[in-house]
Amino acid sequence: MSDGVSRLVQVMDRLRSPGGCPWDADQTHASLAPYALEETYELLEAIESGDRTDLREELGDVLLQVVFHARVAQEHPDAPFDLNDIAHGIADKLVERHPHVFGEVEAGSLEDLHARWERIKKETKARESVMDGIPVAQPALARAQKVISRASRAGLEVRDEAGVGLGQQLFALVARAQAEGVDAEAALREATRAYESAAREAESASAGSEPVTEGSPTRDLGR
């Protein structure tokens, strides 16, 4: 472990231990959850702004969330784990999902890589649907796009009347929702749930097809 990370772990240990900070000592995974979400959004903002100073700071804030949760997890009476366990776990996952790098499998095309990645995920996570693993609490717009992307990559023929919207159209719809007293987020979540249900039905109807691929190079590393 690097000196910087080791120091951060030691600082957190001091804050969490008797004689440290009462607020830090009182936190749980649940109470810390909103901060993880907030810091992630601030990191995205720093990435979009291109400010390197802000980026470094926000990455530190996100790292703090991981270290904090790891310290809390260390104290669990029945199933404790620490930052080292977390790091080994994600390293094992990366090795497992990159047999073309750490094994003797040929890399093949980019499509082959994505197909292999999804196949390994499906096997190791025991997933039954391409819709599994998409966070329900994810913001509605992002979740809608992910659901549509999964269905599209799977080649599912989903009966949908929503059509395709651009930024201006989305904004206009939100403005309309506001004028009509409609919760736009809730409405979109409901529409996404309906689409997801239809996608699952389409998937069941086409059972036995080739392994699902997701063409975007962005991967669900943590899921």
Side-chain angles (χ1 to χ4, degrees):
M1 193 179 296
S2 68
D3 291 342
V5 175
S6 295
R7 183 183 174 219
L8 177 56
V9 170
Q10 292 169 6
V11 169
M12 177 50 62
D13 181 67
R14 179 72 179 87
L15 292 171
R16 184 78 178 177
S17 298
C21 174
W23 185 89
D24 289 281
D26 195 45
Q27 299 311 300
T28 65
H29 291 302
S31 68
L32 290 172
Y35 300 103
L37 186 60
E38 179 181 346
E39 297 300 351
T40 299
Y41 281 128
E42 291 185 2
L43 171 59
L44 294 176
E45 185 175 346
I47 292 173
E48 291 174 355
S49 72
D51 189 309
R52 300 290 293 176
T53 300
D54 285 350
L55 178 59
R56 183 175 66 180
E57 179 180 351
E58 298 305 336
L59 282 169
D61 288 341
V62 171
L63 176 60
L64 171 59
Q65 298 306 308
V66 176
V67 171
F68 207 150
H69 278 281
R71 182 62 180 81
V72 173
Q74 219 175 307
E75 303 168 8
H76 195 281
D78 303 316
F81 58 82
D82 58 17
L83 185 63
N84 201 48
D85 297 320
I86 295 171
H88 277 302
I90 191 60
D92 289 343
K93 182 186 290 187
L94 288 173
V95 170
E96 178 181 59
R97 295 186 183 179
H98 291 81
H100 55 287
V101 176
F102 301 99
E104 300 180 355
V105 176
E106 291 293 329
S109 66
L110 188 59
E111 289 73 19
D112 292 335
L113 290 177
H114 290 309
R116 186 182 304 118
W117 178 275
E118 290 297 332
R119 184 169 61 251
I120 293 173
K121 278 204 306 185
K122 187 173 183 179
E123 292 172 352
T124 58
K125 303 290 284 188
R127 292 180 175 172
E128 299 179 355
S129 169
V130 295
M131 297 295 145
D132 292 343
I134 302 177
V136 175
Q138 189 175 4
L141 286 174
R143 188 168 190 274
Q145 187 168 4
K146 192 68 173 179
V147 167
I148 293 171
S149 173
R150 290 276 184 95
S152 175
R153 299 300 178 184
L156 303 179
E157 295 183 2
V158 182
R159 289 179 294 178
D160 173 47
E161 300 177 357
V164 179
L166 300 178
Q168 294 86 344
Q169 293 173 300
L170 288 172
F171 188 86
L173 286 173
V174 173
R176 174 184 167 187
Q178 176 66 20
E180 297 180 3
V182 176
D183 184 328
E185 280 283 325
L188 182 55
R189 287 185 188 282
E190 177 58 33
T192 302
R193 282 194 292 270
Y195 182 95
E196 180 178 357
S197 178
R200 287 178 181 273
E201 291 178 5
E203 182 182 33
S204 296
S206 61
S209 59
E210 291 296 317
V212 172
T213 65
E214 185 172 348
S216 170
T218 301
R219 298 166 174 172
D220 298 328
L221 293 179
R223 292 201 65 77

